[in-house]
């Protein structure tokens, strides 16, 4: 079992509705030493990639992305949730349905911060159905950039996002893949990472 899986067993809470609560160390209170371990691990897993930018989505991906970016020595751009209409055409736009809030948001990235020269590593805290990732991938495509890989802290392997993203051919690295979880007992089971290609 790796460091993140151990921490999930220790401090994660399984909620009804397929939600894993990890707000004591990942996305509300944040354990920066844990984030550093994640940064080191992603640096290893994407060692052969030439990455010049990290991208994530507001809000809970930002903290992890910043620490990971320090291991790659590159800037972070995060997709912002926006209500305003893109009148000037100066932003890339994607529509993202929130898994946790069940609402749809437009997310935007300024054209000043992403372009064809960018080789992007996408980072996020969770992967569920893959809507957030699809939005980010679409924004990189609009910019003419390249997605070099995707690094996720917690993938919920029983939801469809992971399979969909791997089928599209992306190198998706999830540090913990939850195979099943039970709100009644609090049990969490992880996928054996050796099974992941
Ligand atoms: P997706 O777009 O893949 O369906 O969901 C990913 C987003 O939803 C993540 O950015 C994360 O913020 C949120 N999310 C999805 N599942 C969970 C979960 O079980 N727990 C928490 N805390 N956030 C989740």
């Amino acid at each position: 079992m790796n460091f993140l899986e151990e921490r999930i067993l220790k401090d994660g809470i399984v909620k009804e509705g397929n939600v894993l609560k990890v707000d004591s160390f990942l996305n509300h209170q944040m354990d920066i030493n844990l984030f550093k371990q994640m940064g080191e691990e992603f640096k290893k897993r994407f060692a052969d990639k030439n990455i010049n930018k990290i991208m994530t989505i507001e809000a809970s991906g930002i903290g992890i992305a910043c620490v990971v970016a320090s291991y790659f020595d590159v800037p972070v751009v995060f997709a912002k949730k926006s209500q305003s209409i893109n009148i000037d055409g100066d932003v890339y736009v994607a529509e993202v349905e929130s898994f946790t809030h069940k609402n749809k948001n437009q997310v935007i990235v300024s054209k000043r911060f992403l372009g064809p020269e960018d080789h992007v590593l996408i980072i996020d805290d969770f992967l569920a159905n893959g809507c957030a990732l699809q939005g980010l991938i679409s924004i990189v495509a609009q910019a003419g950039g390249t997605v070099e890989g995707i690094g996720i802290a917690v993938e919920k392997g029983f939801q469809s996002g992971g399979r969909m993203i791997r089928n599209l051919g992306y190198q998706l690295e999830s540090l913990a893949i939850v195979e099943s979880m039970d709100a009644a007992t609090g049990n969490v089971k992880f996928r054996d990472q050796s099974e992941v290609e």
Side-chain angles (χ1 to χ4, degrees):
M1 201 176 298
N2 72 28
F3 63 95
L4 185 59
E5 293 166 334
E6 278 171 9
R7 188 60 179 271
I8 291 167
L9 289 191
K10 184 167 160 272
D11 292 328
I13 300 166
V14 183
K15 294 279 182 190
E16 293 294 341
N18 286 334
V19 171
L20 179 62
K21 211 162 183 235
V22 287
D23 62 351
S24 65
F25 60 97
L26 202 75
N27 54 19
H28 191 21
Q29 176 168 261
M30 296 181 280
D31 181 337
I32 302 306
N33 281 327
L34 186 83
F35 286 15
K36 286 181 183 167
Q37 282 179 285
M38 289 168 44
E40 264 173 44
E41 186 60 32
F42 285 134
K43 182 71 182 156
K44 262 190 237 157
R45 294 193 190 195
F46 294 104
D48 58 332
K49 298 284 167 93
N50 223 339
I51 288 157
N52 72 334
K53 203 156 280 185
I54 305 274
M55 218 179 133
T56 189
I57 184 164
E58 190 172 50
S60 51
I62 296 174
I64 297 169
C66 287
V67 176
V68 172
S70 72
Y71 286 83
F72 287 83
D73 202 17
V74 299
V76 179
V77 178
F78 66 90
K80 285 182 174 223
K81 290 173 185 155
S82 162
Q83 306 303 339
S84 56
I85 297 163
N86 174 24
I87 302 165
D88 300 334
D90 55 355
V91 293
Y92 307 111
V93 186
E95 187 152 281
V96 171
E97 189 171 342
S98 162
F99 175 80
T100 33
H101 300 110
K102 308 286 179 219
N103 59 345
K104 280 190 182 171
N105 275 301
Q106 279 205 335
V107 296
I108 58 160
V109 169
S110 168
K111 289 185 177 172
R112 287 184 297 142
F113 304 132
L114 200 63
E117 67 287 359
D118 283 320
H119 292 260
V120 178
L121 174 61
I122 295 176
I123 294 286
D124 206 1
D125 59 342
F126 269 92
L127 171 55
N129 293 324
C131 293
L133 283 186
Q134 274 183 306
L136 292 174
I137 290 168
S138 154
I139 284 177
V140 177
Q142 290 170 48
T146 310
V147 175
E148 293 291 349
I150 299 167
I152 297 289
V154 188
E155 174 181 336
K156 290 185 290 180
F158 53 88
Q159 292 179 284
S160 60
R163 185 179 304 119
M164 186 254 301
I165 296 290
R166 289 189 180 92
N167 282 344
L168 290 172
Y170 293 104
Q171 183 185 348
L172 166 62
E173 300 285 345
S174 301
L175 301 183
I177 303 180
V178 176
E179 202 62 276
S180 63
M181 57 188 204
D182 186 336
T185 60
N187 276 345
V188 178
K189 285 206 182 86
F190 297 104
R191 185 180 302 172
D192 181 353
Q193 290 274 13
S194 57
E195 287 173 22
V196 183
E197 303 201 8

